[in-house]
């Protein structure tokens, strides 16, 4: 199923839906275009065009695989970062237990491409979505979904929607990261009430606890670890109270891309419980990493001996206007570049086949289709130059590009990554 679905991606025709691709490739199957191994800079690609580095992508996949294994963690990377089934399967090939997703639509995408394990890191109370998930579980005994719960009312709504289900839906109680955090139960007493509500249903099965340490207010190492210790203590209390009946393992899950070193540290201290513990890490931004937000806060910066992730995205735009010595504009803007946290970073200038650092060039603002550049006196920038931009926050990079060239260091495009948002 998975191989057939991925093969169909290669059969999709290149056309006007996919920006940046060579206009003369219209009508070609994506696989045929990949087989041509065109060069990103000389093969007819039109600016702006987003490229993913083949070498850096592979480096990041391998690094996270070895990190998880070294620390005794199982990982289900957050797929909403990319929503790219080809990358889902590469992550699984590199040891991932499954894929974490945020909403039922994303689960439908994952199922269409043969993903067998999904951690749904959200509360789901929509009856149509729950019935669809239940149908998938009943039709495929090897498919597994684990979903959040954080209220007695939510449990009741789920139970009503799942009436008649052949298999129970596995759930974990979400412990909030603190007052004012996003979703999740605020107190341990309320967690127990939610667990009791789950136990009173036939449609749900409590299999563990989970949370997101990235929501800890005023996060620092001490506050994050304190929250994670609360999460572990909750799992221990639930186990002592006999709440994990009917399951063969206890799920304890956390882990965004900013504090997974703290997760590894605290989870390493989980004592022996009545059942094996699935220590599930969910970091997802590592797959492409970035040049801004996550590069500044990656746990590998705090523990450099673990290795280092590499930014894998570069957005290529072209200088279309140079109205003054202090100003220039390129043809990529909000429609093309992530900008929800940091503006893009001017990195390299390409002219006549040669690349050099973008000295004296900085991005100061984005319009819909333009980036505003400030140019210092030493900036050598002309109309027609290609400007390579680093990006911040990969979650909002993938969603702007439905078909992304995967390019080697010399510019050879070896594959095209299809996204579904």
């Amino acid at each position: 199923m998975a191989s057939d679905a991925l093969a169909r991606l290669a059969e999709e025709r290149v056309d006007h839906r996919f920006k940046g691709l060579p206009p003369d490739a219209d009508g070609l199957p994506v696989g045929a275009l990949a087989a041509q191994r065109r060069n990103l800079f000389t093969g007819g690609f039109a600016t702006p065009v987003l490229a993913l580095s083949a070498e850096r992508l592979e480096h990041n996949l391998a690094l996270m695989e070895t990190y998880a294994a070294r620390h005794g963690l199982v990982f289900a990377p957050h797929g909403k970062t990319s929503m790219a089934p080809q990358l889902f399967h590469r992550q699984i090939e590199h040891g991932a237990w499954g894929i974490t997703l945020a909403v039922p639509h994303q689960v439908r995408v994952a199922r269409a491409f043969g993903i067998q394990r999904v951690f749904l890191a959200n509360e789901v109370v929509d009856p149509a979505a729950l019935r669809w998930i239940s149908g998938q579980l009943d039709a495929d005994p090897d498919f597994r979904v684990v979903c959040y719960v954080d209220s007695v009312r939510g449990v009741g709504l789920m139970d009503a929607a799942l009436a008649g289900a052949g298999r129970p839906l596995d759930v974990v109680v979400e412990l909030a990261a603190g007052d004012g955090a996003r979703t999740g139960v605020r107190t341990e007493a309320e967690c127990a009430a939610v667990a009791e509500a789950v136990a009173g249903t036939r449609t749900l099965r409590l299999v563990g606890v989970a949370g997101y340490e990235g929501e800890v207010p005023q996060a620092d190492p001490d506050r994050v670890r304190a929250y994670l210790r609360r999460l572990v203590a909750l799992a221990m209390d639930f186990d002592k109270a006999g709440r994990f009946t009917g399951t063969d393992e206890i799920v304890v899950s956390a882990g965004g891309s900013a504090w997974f070193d703290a997760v590894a540290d605290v989870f390493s201290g989980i004592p022996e419980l009545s059942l094996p513990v699935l220590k599930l890490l969910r970091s997802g931004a590592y797959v492409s990493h970035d040049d801004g937000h996550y590069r500044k806060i990656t746990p590998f910066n705090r523990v450099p001996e673990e290795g280092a992730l590499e930014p894998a995205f570069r957005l290529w735009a072209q200088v279309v206007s140079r109205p003054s010595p202090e100003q220039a504009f390129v043809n990529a803007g909000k429609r093309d570049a992530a900008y929800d946290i940091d503006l893009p970073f001017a990195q390299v200038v390409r002219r006549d086949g040669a690349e050099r650092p973008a000295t004296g060039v900085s991005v100061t603002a984005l319009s819909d289709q333009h980036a505003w550049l400030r140019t210092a006196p030493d900036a050598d920038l002309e109309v027609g130059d290609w400007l390579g931009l680093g990006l911040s926050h990969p979650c909002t990079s993938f969603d702007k590009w439905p078909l992304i060239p995967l390019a080697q260091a010399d510019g050879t495009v070896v594959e095209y990554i299809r996204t579904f948002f």
Side-chain angles (χ1 to χ4, degrees), residues 132-152:
W132 178 83
I133 290 171
S134 179
Q136 292 290 304
L137 291 169
D138 289 349
D140 183 354
D142 294 323
F143 179 46
R144 186 179 186 193
V145 176
V146 179
C147 177
Y148 278 180
V149 290
D150 78 347
S151 68
V152 172

Side-chain angles (χ1 to χ4, degrees), residues 67 71 175-177 188 212-234 252 254-255 258-270 297-303 305-306:
Y67 180 88
H71 291 280
L175 176 67
E188 280 74 2
Y212 175 45
E213 75 290 344
E215 283 287 305
V216 170
Q218 300 176 314
D220 63 24
D222 290 338
R223 288 189 177 94
V224 168
R225 283 174 169 79
Y227 163 69
L228 292 167
R229 286 192 288 271
R230 280 185 66 201
L231 187 67
V232 169
L234 181 65
V252 182
W259 295 102
F260 57 75
D261 56 332
V263 175
D265 180 26
V266 174
F267 280 16
S268 69
I270 296 177
I297 63 173
T298 174
F300 290 120
N301 290 343
R302 295 189 289 271
V303 194
E305 60 268 26
E306 296 276 14

Side-chain angles (χ1 to χ4, degrees), residues 369-395:
Q369 304 293 173
H370 293 90
W372 296 58
L373 307 181
R374 179 183 296 117
T375 52
D378 59 342
D380 179 12
L381 197 67
E382 297 179 355
V383 170
D385 289 348
W386 281 37
L387 182 66
L389 299 169
L391 300 175
S392 178
H393 203 197
C395 299

Side-chain angles (χ1 to χ4, degrees), residues 178-353:
D179 291 337
R182 197 165 54 194
T183 55
V185 186
R186 266 39 182 180
T187 70
E188 280 74 2
E190 291 172 297
C191 286
V194 173
E196 285 292 332
V198 171
T201 74
R202 293 177 177 269
T203 59
L204 303 175
R205 179 175 67 162
L206 183 66
V207 298
V209 299
Y212 175 45
E213 75 290 344
E215 283 287 305
V216 170
Q218 300 176 314
D220 63 24
D222 290 338
R223 288 189 177 94
V224 168
R225 283 174 169 79
Y227 163 69
L228 292 167
R229 286 192 288 271
R230 280 185 66 201
L231 187 67
V232 169
L234 181 65
M236 294 168 59
D237 289 346
F238 277 11
D239 185 47
K240 186 177 180 180
R243 297 193 186 279
F244 299 124
T245 58
T247 184
D248 55 6
E249 64 185 4
I250 298 168
V251 177
V252 182
S253 178
S257 293
W259 295 102
F260 57 75
D261 56 332
V263 175
D265 180 26
V266 174
F267 280 16
S268 69
I270 296 177
E272 184 174 338
L273 301 181
S274 65
L275 295 167
V277 178
L278 189 76
K279 303 174 185 178
L280 191 63
L281 181 69
R282 304 194 307 271
S283 308
Y286 81 94
V287 68
S288 62
H289 199 41
D290 71 357
D291 280 291
H293 178 66
Y294 284 116
R295 190 172 193 173
K296 291 180 285 190
I297 63 173
T298 174
F300 290 120
N301 290 343
R302 295 189 289 271
V303 194
E305 60 268 26
E306 296 276 14
L309 294 168
E310 296 178 352
F313 270 137
R314 180 164 283 171
L315 176 62
W316 289 96
Q318 195 165 25
V319 180
V320 294
S321 180
R322 190 81 161 91
S324 75
E326 298 81 26
Q327 196 173 39
F329 293 86
V330 294
N331 61 345
K334 292 179 180 178
R335 308 295 185 191
D336 314 296
Y339 63 93
D340 59 318
I341 295 181
D342 297 308
L343 290 172
F345 307 91
Q347 294 180 326
V348 295
V349 176
R350 187 176 181 89
R351 182 190 301 163
D352 299 327

Side-chain angles (χ1 to χ4, degrees), residues 22-269:
D24 66 354
D26 275 10
L28 281 178
V30 171
L33 179 59
Q36 292 181 359
R37 296 176 69 85
R38 295 198 188 194
N39 188 278
L40 187 69
F41 308 111
T42 61
F45 291 84
T47 57
V49 59
L50 180 70
L52 192 60
S53 164
E55 294 88 354
R56 291 185 170 201
L57 171 66
E58 181 59 31
H59 168 84
N60 293 343
L61 290 168
L63 182 64
M64 203 63 176
E65 178 182 18
T66 58
Y67 180 88
R70 185 183 306 125
H71 291 280
L73 301 170
V74 174
F75 72 111
H78 215 315
K80 61 94 176 173
T81 300
S82 70
M83 282 310 296
Q86 291 146 288
L87 298 185
F88 292 173
H89 282 279
R90 290 194 186 187
Q91 289 169 306
I92 289 169
E93 289 165 6
H94 279 274
W97 169 91
I99 299 296
T100 296
L101 297 165
V103 291
H105 155 71
Q106 295 169 355
V107 184
R108 292 188 65 190
V109 173
R111 284 301 284 160
F113 290 90
I115 300 301
Q116 288 294 89
R117 290 174 177 164
V118 170
F119 189 95
L120 183 47
N122 206 345
E123 286 71 24
V124 180
V125 294
D126 180 84
L130 287 164
R131 286 192 292 267
W132 178 83
I133 290 171
S134 179
Q136 292 290 304
L137 291 169
D138 289 349
D140 183 354
D142 294 323
F143 179 46
R144 186 179 186 193
V145 176
V146 179
C147 177
Y148 278 180
V149 290
D150 78 347
S151 68
V152 172
R153 175 169 170 77
V155 168
L157 292 171
M158 295 174 78
D159 185 40
L162 293 169
R167 288 173 59 190
L169 174 61
D170 287 347
V171 297
V172 291
V173 172
E174 183 193 7
L175 176 67
D179 291 337
R182 197 165 54 194
T183 55
V185 186
R186 266 39 182 180
T187 70
E188 280 74 2
E190 291 172 297
C191 286
V194 173
E196 285 292 332
V198 171
T201 74
R202 293 177 177 269
T203 59
L204 303 175
R205 179 175 67 162
L206 183 66
V207 298
V209 299
Y212 175 45
E213 75 290 344
E215 283 287 305
V216 170
Q218 300 176 314
D220 63 24
D222 290 338
R223 288 189 177 94
V224 168
R225 283 174 169 79
Y227 163 69
L228 292 167
R229 286 192 288 271
R230 280 185 66 201
L231 187 67
V232 169
L234 181 65
M236 294 168 59
D237 289 346
F238 277 11
D239 185 47
K240 186 177 180 180
R243 297 193 186 279
F244 299 124
T245 58
T247 184
D248 55 6
E249 64 185 4
I250 298 168
V251 177
V252 182
S253 178
S257 293
W259 295 102
F260 57 75
D261 56 332
V263 175
D265 180 26
V266 174
F267 280 16
S268 69

